[in-house]
Amino acid sequence: MRGSGKQRVNPDPDPGRDGGGYYRTALSGSRLRRCYDIAPPRVRQYLDAELAHTSTLVSGASRVLELGCGYGRALRTMSHACRFIVGIDTSQESLALAHSYLNGIVNCRLACMDAATPGFRDQTFDAVICIQNGISAFHLDPDMLVRNALRQVRPGGIAIFSTYAAQFWPHRLEWFVRQSDEHLIGEIDWTATREGQIRCRDGFTATTFTPAQFDALARRHKLDARVEVVDESSVFWVLGIV
């Protein structure tokens, strides 16, 4: 674990400028896992429900790719639903923890790659997933992220994105307050934090990709998508690849 629980790391005054550098350096490995360990009960329910629904969507798939796998939290669950799964992340520290966290799971592989430019051949996977608001958290151009994700999916497969439901906001904010109180993220800037958007004084930001933004993105790319609300906490955007 980098530093003690009483220290903060602020390596980048603009964590979004390099595609989510905060999660690569300041909030990675054991510090990232601690964020989930301290989640309030309602957030744990949301996390479990999101994973259960994702596992149902990829059930029986031969090859699945997760964008931004972190320390392997979702991979462990989804490995039971599909035949083979790959997780990519840009944080070496998180991937190192994932290797031990996923020890003994033989149908899972890890790779250090950027979600913006995954290094696989086109149409390699039956499903590509980007959950827990990754489309916002990565701080990448959403059009580019979706376009490159779609390239990885074979015809007949699916691309899955999820974000937070609007009514989940109070619980999400409570969770981030806990993270701030443990100095895992910076002190929350209450003057700039508003519904759907959290800002910290060390430059960390957590925004929300809304269903309306998903709809606009689908129209721009002429995509057919279905929207599924789960547990009044997650909104799933599922793209079928023709």
Side-chain angles (χ1 to χ4, degrees):
M1 182 171 180
R2 178 177 294 128
S4 71
K6 297 299 182 182
Q7 295 176 323
R8 290 199 306 268
V9 180
N10 183 20
D12 189 341
D14 181 3
R17 73 183 183 190
D18 64 347
Y22 203 98
Y23 286 99
R24 183 163 56 248
T25 53
L27 194 58
S28 60
S30 297
R31 292 176 65 85
L32 179 62
R33 183 172 180 177
R34 179 62 181 161
C35 292
Y36 293 93
D37 290 342
I38 65 173
R42 182 62 182 91
V43 173
R44 291 179 182 272
Q45 178 183 318
Y46 143 70
L47 293 168
D48 290 344
E50 184 186 51
L51 274 184
H53 190 66
T54 306
S55 296
T56 298
L57 291 172
V58 303
S59 179
S62 294
R63 288 178 289 187
V64 176
L65 171 66
E66 183 188 10
L67 307 178
C69 66
Y71 67 90
R73 180 188 65 87
L75 291 174
R76 175 183 277 183
T77 298
M78 290 187 295
S79 67
H80 300 292
C82 58
R83 292 176 59 187
F84 185 76
I85 188 165
V86 178
I88 66 171
D89 204 278
T90 58
S91 169
Q92 293 283 4
E93 188 174 358
S94 290
L95 290 171
L97 180 57
H99 275 288
S100 60
Y101 185 73
L102 300 170
N103 184 42
I105 299 179
V106 298
N107 65 331
C108 181
R109 295 291 184 273
L110 300 166
C112 187
M113 292 184 186
D114 194 324
T117 54
F120 302 101
R121 290 181 296 179
D122 291 358
Q123 300 183 2
T124 294
F125 297 95
D126 300 290
V128 172
I129 66 171
C130 180
I131 59 174
Q132 205 188 326
N133 199 39
I135 194 169
S136 175
F138 292 164
H139 293 276
L140 297 171
D141 174 62
D143 291 270
M144 176 183 65
L145 180 64
V146 168
R147 185 169 57 248
N148 286 334
L150 294 176
R151 286 198 302 104
Q152 308 296 315
V153 184
R154 66 167 181 81
I158 56 174
I160 304 164
F161 297 84
S162 73
T163 187
Y164 295 102
Q167 57 266 47
F168 189 67
W169 167 247
H171 309 290
R172 181 188 179 198
L173 182 58
E174 178 190 1
W175 186 24
F176 276 81
V177 169
R178 288 194 181 192
Q179 294 174 46
S180 180
D181 287 346
E182 289 218 7
H183 305 284
L184 297 167
I185 60 176
E187 178 185 357
I188 292 178
D189 182 353
W190 292 106
T191 64
T193 294
R194 56 186 58 85
E195 187 162 341
Q197 178 174 282
I198 297 164
R199 292 189 179 274
C200 296
R201 296 191 183 280
D202 67 348
F204 175 80
T205 62
T207 58
T208 305
F209 203 81
T210 67
Q213 288 174 299
F214 275 133
D215 289 342
L217 198 158
R219 289 194 298 272
R220 287 197 299 274
H221 292 272
K222 298 180 180 179
L223 300 171
D224 290 326
R226 70 178 189 267
V227 176
E228 302 170 351
V229 180
V230 175
D231 183 52
E232 297 186 338
S233 57
S234 293
V235 177
F236 279 78
W237 194 56
V238 184
L239 301 169
I241 312 304
V242 179

Tab-separated table of all heavy atoms in Angstrom, residues 158-204:
chain	number	residue	atom	x	y	z
A	158	ILE	N	-21.959	-8.447	-27.788
A	158	ILE	CA	-22.530	-7.265	-27.152
A	158	ILE	C	-21.438	-6.406	-26.520
A	158	ILE	O	-20.377	-6.905	-26.133
A	158	ILE	CB	-23.574	-7.621	-26.065
A	158	ILE	CG1	-22.959	-8.552	-25.005
A	158	ILE	CG2	-24.819	-8.212	-26.672
A	158	ILE	CD1	-23.894	-8.807	-23.836
A	159	ALA	N	-21.715	-5.124	-26.430
A	159	ALA	CA	-20.903	-4.192	-25.653
A	159	ALA	C	-21.790	-3.655	-24.537
A	159	ALA	O	-22.942	-3.267	-24.782
A	159	ALA	CB	-20.383	-3.061	-26.526
A	160	ILE	N	-21.264	-3.645	-23.315
A	160	ILE	CA	-22.054	-3.300	-22.139
A	160	ILE	C	-21.410	-2.124	-21.419
A	160	ILE	O	-20.228	-2.171	-21.073
A	160	ILE	CB	-22.147	-4.493	-21.170
A	160	ILE	CG1	-22.712	-5.728	-21.871
A	160	ILE	CG2	-22.984	-4.129	-19.947
A	160	ILE	CD1	-22.468	-7.022	-21.106
A	161	PHE	N	-22.186	-1.102	-21.183
A	161	PHE	CA	-21.739	0.046	-20.401
A	161	PHE	C	-22.749	0.269	-19.287
A	161	PHE	O	-23.938	0.025	-19.458
A	161	PHE	CB	-21.647	1.305	-21.270
A	161	PHE	CG	-20.648	1.209	-22.383
A	161	PHE	CD1	-20.982	0.605	-23.592
A	161	PHE	CD2	-19.364	1.713	-22.225
A	161	PHE	CE1	-20.057	0.506	-24.622
A	161	PHE	CE2	-18.435	1.618	-23.249
A	161	PHE	CZ	-18.775	1.008	-24.442
A	162	SER	N	-22.280	0.741	-18.142
A	162	SER	CA	-23.227	1.073	-17.081
A	162	SER	C	-22.824	2.381	-16.416
A	162	SER	O	-21.647	2.772	-16.422
A	162	SER	CB	-23.311	-0.049	-16.030
A	162	SER	OG	-22.166	-0.089	-15.209
A	163	THR	N	-23.827	3.037	-15.860
A	163	THR	CA	-23.623	4.278	-15.132
A	163	THR	C	-24.531	4.259	-13.915
A	163	THR	O	-25.232	3.277	-13.655
A	163	THR	CB	-23.916	5.486	-16.035
A	163	THR	OG1	-23.554	6.688	-15.361
A	163	THR	CG2	-25.371	5.549	-16.442
A	164	TYR	N	-24.505	5.326	-13.140
A	164	TYR	CA	-25.330	5.401	-11.936
A	164	TYR	C	-26.731	5.896	-12.262
A	164	TYR	O	-26.904	6.812	-13.070
A	164	TYR	CB	-24.707	6.365	-10.926
A	164	TYR	CG	-23.369	5.944	-10.382
A	164	TYR	CD1	-22.192	6.517	-10.860
A	164	TYR	CD2	-23.273	4.983	-9.384
A	164	TYR	CE1	-20.952	6.145	-10.347
A	164	TYR	CE2	-22.044	4.603	-8.859
A	164	TYR	CZ	-20.890	5.187	-9.346
A	164	TYR	OH	-19.677	4.818	-8.846
A	165	ALA	N	-27.729	5.318	-11.614
A	165	ALA	CA	-29.089	5.841	-11.700
A	165	ALA	C	-29.174	7.135	-10.892
A	165	ALA	O	-28.514	7.286	-9.864
A	165	ALA	CB	-30.086	4.823	-11.163
A	166	ALA	N	-29.996	8.060	-11.348
A	166	ALA	CA	-30.088	9.373	-10.698
A	166	ALA	C	-30.505	9.252	-9.235
A	166	ALA	O	-29.989	9.968	-8.370
A	166	ALA	CB	-31.077	10.253	-11.459
A	167	GLN	N	-31.413	8.315	-8.942
A	167	GLN	CA	-31.919	8.196	-7.569
A	167	GLN	C	-30.891	7.599	-6.605
A	167	GLN	O	-31.094	7.606	-5.390
A	167	GLN	CB	-33.208	7.358	-7.530
A	167	GLN	CG	-33.091	5.962	-8.116
A	167	GLN	CD	-33.497	5.904	-9.574
A	167	GLN	OE1	-33.079	6.734	-10.370
A	167	GLN	NE2	-34.336	4.942	-9.912
A	168	PHE	N	-29.770	7.125	-7.138
A	168	PHE	CA	-28.735	6.551	-6.284
A	168	PHE	C	-27.765	7.618	-5.762
A	168	PHE	O	-26.906	7.323	-4.928
A	168	PHE	CB	-27.959	5.479	-7.079
A	168	PHE	CG	-27.010	4.662	-6.251
A	168	PHE	CD1	-27.472	3.792	-5.285
A	168	PHE	CD2	-25.635	4.761	-6.447
A	168	PHE	CE1	-26.597	3.034	-4.521
A	168	PHE	CE2	-24.746	4.012	-5.689
A	168	PHE	CZ	-25.231	3.138	-4.721
A	169	TRP	N	-27.905	8.835	-6.209
A	169	TRP	CA	-26.953	9.887	-5.881
A	169	TRP	C	-26.647	10.028	-4.389
A	169	TRP	O	-25.469	10.096	-4.005
A	169	TRP	CB	-27.424	11.219	-6.463
A	169	TRP	CG	-26.678	12.408	-5.929
A	169	TRP	CD1	-27.180	13.411	-5.142
A	169	TRP	CD2	-25.300	12.733	-6.138
A	169	TRP	NE1	-26.201	14.333	-4.846
A	169	TRP	CE2	-25.031	13.935	-5.441
A	169	TRP	CE3	-24.252	12.122	-6.837
A	169	TRP	CZ2	-23.782	14.538	-5.423
A	169	TRP	CZ3	-22.990	12.715	-6.819
A	169	TRP	CH2	-22.772	13.912	-6.123
A	170	PRO	N	-27.623	10.066	-3.481
A	170	PRO	CA	-27.279	10.243	-2.056
A	170	PRO	C	-26.361	9.142	-1.529
A	170	PRO	O	-25.468	9.408	-0.714
A	170	PRO	CB	-28.644	10.217	-1.359
A	170	PRO	CG	-29.628	10.590	-2.411
A	170	PRO	CD	-29.084	10.011	-3.684
A	171	HIS	N	-26.569	7.920	-1.990
A	171	HIS	CA	-25.744	6.796	-1.528
A	171	HIS	C	-24.338	6.869	-2.121
A	171	HIS	O	-23.347	6.577	-1.442
A	171	HIS	CB	-26.417	5.480	-1.900
A	171	HIS	CG	-27.840	5.396	-1.483
A	171	HIS	ND1	-28.222	5.285	-0.160
A	171	HIS	CD2	-28.991	5.447	-2.217
A	171	HIS	CE1	-29.545	5.253	-0.088
A	171	HIS	NE2	-30.026	5.346	-1.319
A	172	ARG	N	-24.278	7.277	-3.375
A	172	ARG	CA	-22.958	7.444	-4.002
A	172	ARG	C	-22.160	8.527	-3.286
A	172	ARG	O	-20.971	8.358	-3.012
A	172	ARG	CB	-23.146	7.809	-5.476
A	172	ARG	CG	-21.845	7.974	-6.244
A	172	ARG	CD	-22.122	8.517	-7.628
A	172	ARG	NE	-20.901	8.722	-8.396
A	172	ARG	CZ	-20.832	9.485	-9.474
A	172	ARG	NH1	-21.907	10.132	-9.902
A	172	ARG	NH2	-19.687	9.629	-10.126
A	173	LEU	N	-22.817	9.643	-2.984
A	173	LEU	CA	-22.127	10.730	-2.298
A	173	LEU	C	-21.643	10.278	-0.915
A	173	LEU	O	-20.518	10.596	-0.506
A	173	LEU	CB	-23.055	11.935	-2.168
A	173	LEU	CG	-22.456	13.178	-1.502
A	173	LEU	CD1	-21.228	13.668	-2.247
A	173	LEU	CD2	-23.504	14.281	-1.409
A	174	GLU	N	-22.469	9.537	-0.195
A	174	GLU	CA	-22.060	9.020	1.117
A	174	GLU	C	-20.797	8.167	0.994
A	174	GLU	O	-19.887	8.252	1.829
A	174	GLU	CB	-23.188	8.197	1.730
A	174	GLU	CG	-22.823	7.583	3.085
A	174	GLU	CD	-23.850	6.572	3.574
A	174	GLU	OE1	-24.846	6.313	2.863
A	174	GLU	OE2	-23.636	6.019	4.678
A	175	TRP	N	-20.746	7.353	-0.049
A	175	TRP	CA	-19.586	6.486	-0.271
A	175	TRP	C	-18.319	7.308	-0.502
A	175	TRP	O	-17.274	7.037	0.077
A	175	TRP	CB	-19.881	5.584	-1.460
A	175	TRP	CG	-18.847	4.534	-1.742
A	175	TRP	CD1	-17.945	3.999	-0.859
A	175	TRP	CD2	-18.637	3.877	-2.978
A	175	TRP	NE1	-17.179	3.039	-1.479
A	175	TRP	CE2	-17.580	2.951	-2.781
A	175	TRP	CE3	-19.233	3.963	-4.230
A	175	TRP	CZ2	-17.116	2.122	-3.817
A	175	TRP	CZ3	-18.778	3.136	-5.245
A	175	TRP	CH2	-17.733	2.232	-5.039
A	176	PHE	N	-18.424	8.346	-1.305
A	176	PHE	CA	-17.246	9.170	-1.582
A	176	PHE	C	-16.843	9.995	-0.369
A	176	PHE	O	-15.655	10.280	-0.180
A	176	PHE	CB	-17.492	10.051	-2.807
A	176	PHE	CG	-17.214	9.339	-4.105
A	176	PHE	CD1	-18.153	8.476	-4.657
A	176	PHE	CD2	-16.015	9.515	-4.767
A	176	PHE	CE1	-17.895	7.804	-5.844
A	176	PHE	CE2	-15.749	8.853	-5.952
A	176	PHE	CZ	-16.685	7.986	-6.493
A	177	VAL	N	-17.784	10.375	0.448
A	177	VAL	CA	-17.437	11.062	1.695
A	177	VAL	C	-16.609	10.132	2.575
A	177	VAL	O	-15.614	10.558	3.189
A	177	VAL	CB	-18.707	11.536	2.429
A	177	VAL	CG1	-18.373	11.995	3.852
A	177	VAL	CG2	-19.372	12.676	1.661
A	178	ARG	N	-16.986	8.875	2.642
A	178	ARG	CA	-16.208	7.909	3.419
A	178	ARG	C	-14.786	7.786	2.864
A	178	ARG	O	-13.813	7.713	3.619
A	178	ARG	CB	-16.879	6.539	3.406
A	178	ARG	CG	-18.140	6.436	4.232
A	178	ARG	CD	-18.542	4.986	4.440
A	178	ARG	NE	-19.768	4.879	5.222
A	178	ARG	CZ	-20.218	3.739	5.745
A	178	ARG	NH1	-19.533	2.612	5.562
A	178	ARG	NH2	-21.338	3.716	6.440
A	179	GLN	N	-14.667	7.743	1.536
A	179	GLN	CA	-13.339	7.651	0.926
A	179	GLN	C	-12.498	8.877	1.257
A	179	GLN	O	-11.300	8.776	1.531
A	179	GLN	CB	-13.485	7.487	-0.583
A	179	GLN	CG	-14.141	6.183	-1.015
A	179	GLN	CD	-14.392	6.118	-2.501
A	179	GLN	OE1	-13.520	6.454	-3.303
A	179	GLN	NE2	-15.589	5.714	-2.894
A	180	SER	N	-13.128	10.033	1.231
A	180	SER	CA	-12.413	11.260	1.565
A	180	SER	C	-12.007	11.282	3.028
A	180	SER	O	-10.883	11.694	3.371
A	180	SER	CB	-13.295	12.474	1.238
A	180	SER	OG	-12.640	13.677	1.549
A	181	ASP	N	-12.898	10.826	3.905
A	181	ASP	CA	-12.594	10.806	5.332
A	181	ASP	C	-11.397	9.898	5.646
A	181	ASP	O	-10.667	10.143	6.619
A	181	ASP	CB	-13.814	10.327	6.128
A	181	ASP	CG	-14.920	11.379	6.203
A	181	ASP	OD1	-14.632	12.547	5.872
A	181	ASP	OD2	-16.054	11.017	6.572
A	182	GLU	N	-11.202	8.855	4.825
A	182	GLU	CA	-10.061	7.958	5.018
A	182	GLU	C	-8.844	8.407	4.213
A	182	GLU	O	-7.852	7.692	4.130
A	182	GLU	CB	-10.439	6.519	4.655
A	182	GLU	CG	-11.391	5.883	5.643
A	182	GLU	CD	-11.106	4.420	5.887
A	182	GLU	OE1	-10.074	3.905	5.394
A	182	GLU	OE2	-11.916	3.790	6.590
A	183	HIS	N	-8.939	9.575	3.587
A	183	HIS	CA	-7.837	10.149	2.818
A	183	HIS	C	-7.438	9.274	1.622
A	183	HIS	O	-6.286	9.288	1.189
A	183	HIS	CB	-6.621	10.404	3.713
A	183	HIS	CG	-6.936	11.258	4.902
A	183	HIS	ND1	-7.119	12.620	4.810
A	183	HIS	CD2	-7.134	10.935	6.200
A	183	HIS	CE1	-7.396	13.109	6.017
A	183	HIS	NE2	-7.419	12.110	6.875
A	184	LEU	N	-8.402	8.537	1.094
A	184	LEU	CA	-8.165	7.769	-0.126
A	184	LEU	C	-8.296	8.683	-1.346
A	184	LEU	O	-7.634	8.465	-2.367
A	184	LEU	CB	-9.162	6.609	-0.221
A	184	LEU	CG	-9.038	5.583	0.909
A	184	LEU	CD1	-10.248	4.653	0.930
A	184	LEU	CD2	-7.745	4.778	0.759
A	185	ILE	N	-9.168	9.655	-1.256
A	185	ILE	CA	-9.270	10.727	-2.233
A	185	ILE	C	-9.141	12.041	-1.469
A	185	ILE	O	-9.096	12.051	-0.233
A	185	ILE	CB	-10.595	10.683	-3.030
A	185	ILE	CG1	-11.803	10.808	-2.077
A	185	ILE	CG2	-10.680	9.403	-3.850
A	185	ILE	CD1	-13.152	10.875	-2.789
A	186	GLY	N	-9.075	13.127	-2.177
A	186	GLY	CA	-8.885	14.414	-1.531
A	186	GLY	C	-10.106	14.891	-0.764
A	186	GLY	O	-11.176	14.273	-0.801
A	187	GLU	N	-9.941	16.002	-0.088
A	187	GLU	CA	-11.053	16.636	0.618
A	187	GLU	C	-12.098	17.088	-0.401
A	187	GLU	O	-11.770	17.699	-1.422
A	187	GLU	CB	-10.546	17.841	1.410
A	187	GLU	CG	-11.640	18.599	2.147
A	187	GLU	CD	-11.100	19.857	2.804
A	187	GLU	OE1	-9.868	20.100	2.730
A	187	GLU	OE2	-11.914	20.611	3.371
A	188	ILE	N	-13.344	16.767	-0.139
A	188	ILE	CA	-14.404	17.128	-1.080
A	188	ILE	C	-14.605	18.636	-1.110
A	188	ILE	O	-14.690	19.293	-0.069
A	188	ILE	CB	-15.715	16.412	-0.723
A	188	ILE	CG1	-15.553	14.902	-0.959
A	188	ILE	CG2	-16.887	16.959	-1.539
A	188	ILE	CD1	-16.759	14.080	-0.603
A	189	ASP	N	-14.656	19.177	-2.308
A	189	ASP	CA	-14.914	20.606	-2.512
A	189	ASP	C	-16.421	20.786	-2.629
A	189	ASP	O	-17.007	20.575	-3.688
A	189	ASP	CB	-14.205	21.074	-3.791
A	189	ASP	CG	-14.388	22.565	-4.037
A	189	ASP	OD1	-15.164	23.206	-3.298
A	189	ASP	OD2	-13.756	23.076	-4.981
A	190	TRP	N	-17.041	21.192	-1.524
A	190	TRP	CA	-18.502	21.285	-1.493
A	190	TRP	C	-19.031	22.445	-2.330
A	190	TRP	O	-20.211	22.449	-2.703
A	190	TRP	CB	-18.987	21.386	-0.052
A	190	TRP	CG	-18.746	20.116	0.703
A	190	TRP	CD1	-17.802	19.890	1.655
A	190	TRP	CD2	-19.451	18.882	0.549
A	190	TRP	NE1	-17.858	18.587	2.115
A	190	TRP	CE2	-18.870	17.951	1.451
A	190	TRP	CE3	-20.516	18.463	-0.254
A	190	TRP	CZ2	-19.323	16.636	1.565
A	190	TRP	CZ3	-20.961	17.154	-0.147
A	190	TRP	CH2	-20.380	16.256	0.754
A	191	THR	N	-18.195	23.383	-2.657
A	191	THR	CA	-18.649	24.485	-3.497
A	191	THR	C	-18.792	24.051	-4.951
A	191	THR	O	-19.536	24.674	-5.719
A	191	THR	CB	-17.679	25.677	-3.425
A	191	THR	OG1	-16.397	25.296	-3.957
A	191	THR	CG2	-17.506	26.145	-1.985
A	192	ALA	N	-18.075	22.998	-5.352
A	192	ALA	CA	-18.114	22.537	-6.740
A	192	ALA	C	-18.838	21.205	-6.894
A	192	ALA	O	-19.076	20.763	-8.018
A	192	ALA	CB	-16.689	22.400	-7.281
A	193	THR	N	-19.167	20.544	-5.796
A	193	THR	CA	-19.863	19.257	-5.838
A	193	THR	C	-21.361	19.498	-5.901
A	193	THR	O	-21.919	20.276	-5.119
A	193	THR	CB	-19.510	18.421	-4.591
A	193	THR	OG1	-18.124	18.077	-4.641
A	193	THR	CG2	-20.332	17.146	-4.532
A	194	ARG	N	-21.985	18.850	-6.864
A	194	ARG	CA	-23.439	18.962	-7.028
A	194	ARG	C	-23.951	17.635	-7.537
A	194	ARG	O	-23.168	16.743	-7.842
A	194	ARG	CB	-23.788	20.091	-8.002
A	194	ARG	CG	-23.135	19.964	-9.365
A	194	ARG	CD	-23.394	21.187	-10.228
A	194	ARG	NE	-22.909	22.388	-9.598
A	194	ARG	CZ	-21.644	22.806	-9.706
A	194	ARG	NH1	-20.757	22.112	-10.413
A	194	ARG	NH2	-21.263	23.911	-9.116
A	195	GLU	N	-25.263	17.469	-7.620
A	195	GLU	CA	-25.830	16.173	-7.961
A	195	GLU	C	-25.216	15.608	-9.244
A	195	GLU	O	-25.222	16.233	-10.295
A	195	GLU	CB	-27.349	16.271	-8.127
A	195	GLU	CG	-28.016	14.932	-8.312
A	195	GLU	CD	-29.506	14.978	-8.038
A	195	GLU	OE1	-29.970	15.928	-7.378
A	195	GLU	OE2	-30.206	14.057	-8.496
A	196	GLY	N	-24.674	14.387	-9.111
A	196	GLY	CA	-24.057	13.713	-10.243
A	196	GLY	C	-22.592	14.017	-10.445
A	196	GLY	O	-21.942	13.407	-11.291
A	197	GLN	N	-22.043	14.960	-9.689
A	197	GLN	CA	-20.654	15.376	-9.900
A	197	GLN	C	-19.966	15.639	-8.565
A	197	GLN	O	-20.430	16.455	-7.769
A	197	GLN	CB	-20.616	16.634	-10.756
A	197	GLN	CG	-19.225	17.175	-11.006
A	197	GLN	CD	-19.233	18.342	-11.974
A	197	GLN	OE1	-19.333	18.176	-13.179
A	197	GLN	NE2	-19.162	19.549	-11.449
A	198	ILE	N	-18.864	14.939	-8.335
A	198	ILE	CA	-18.086	15.098	-7.114
A	198	ILE	C	-16.726	15.677	-7.482
A	198	ILE	O	-16.059	15.171	-8.389
A	198	ILE	CB	-17.911	13.755	-6.387
A	198	ILE	CG1	-19.272	13.205	-5.955
A	198	ILE	CG2	-16.970	13.894	-5.180
A	198	ILE	CD1	-19.258	11.748	-5.580
A	199	ARG	N	-16.324	16.712	-6.766
A	199	ARG	CA	-15.015	17.316	-6.997
A	199	ARG	C	-14.271	17.416	-5.675
A	199	ARG	O	-14.850	17.757	-4.647
A	199	ARG	CB	-15.135	18.699	-7.638
A	199	ARG	CG	-15.657	18.667	-9.068
A	199	ARG	CD	-15.558	20.010	-9.756
A	199	ARG	NE	-16.033	19.931	-11.117
A	199	ARG	CZ	-15.296	19.564	-12.158
A	199	ARG	NH1	-14.021	19.245	-11.977
A	199	ARG	NH2	-15.810	19.523	-13.373
A	200	CYS	N	-12.966	17.086	-5.743
A	200	CYS	CA	-12.124	17.163	-4.552
A	200	CYS	C	-11.064	18.241	-4.740
A	200	CYS	O	-10.718	18.605	-5.869
A	200	CYS	CB	-11.456	15.816	-4.289
A	200	CYS	SG	-12.632	14.502	-3.905
A	201	ARG	N	-10.526	18.717	-3.623
A	201	ARG	CA	-9.582	19.827	-3.672
A	201	ARG	C	-8.220	19.422	-4.225
A	201	ARG	O	-7.417	20.290	-4.576
A	201	ARG	CB	-9.438	20.437	-2.279
A	201	ARG	CG	-10.735	21.054	-1.773
A	201	ARG	CD	-10.540	21.880	-0.528
A	201	ARG	NE	-11.812	22.396	-0.033
A	201	ARG	CZ	-12.441	23.455	-0.518
A	201	ARG	NH1	-11.911	24.133	-1.517
A	201	ARG	NH2	-13.595	23.855	-0.011
A	202	ASP	N	-7.954	18.112	-4.345
A	202	ASP	CA	-6.685	17.682	-4.937
A	202	ASP	C	-6.802	17.455	-6.439
A	202	ASP	O	-5.874	16.982	-7.080
A	202	ASP	CB	-6.166	16.419	-4.249
A	202	ASP	CG	-7.042	15.199	-4.500
A	202	ASP	OD1	-8.174	15.363	-5.018
A	202	ASP	OD2	-6.606	14.076	-4.175
A	203	GLY	N	-7.961	17.785	-7.023
A	203	GLY	CA	-8.151	17.658	-8.459
A	203	GLY	C	-8.963	16.460	-8.885
A	203	GLY	O	-9.356	16.350	-10.046
A	204	PHE	N	-9.234	15.534	-7.969
A	204	PHE	CA	-10.027	14.355	-8.317
A	204	PHE	C	-11.454	14.760	-8.657
A	204	PHE	O	-12.069	15.579	-7.957
A	204	PHE	CB	-10.042	13.367	-7.155
A	204	PHE	CG	-10.927	12.171	-7.385
A	204	PHE	CD1	-10.489	11.117	-8.162
A	204	PHE	CD2	-12.196	12.114	-6.831
A	204	PHE	CE1	-11.303	10.009	-8.373
A	204	PHE	CE2	-13.016	11.015	-7.037
A	204	PHE	CZ	-12.566	9.956	-7.810
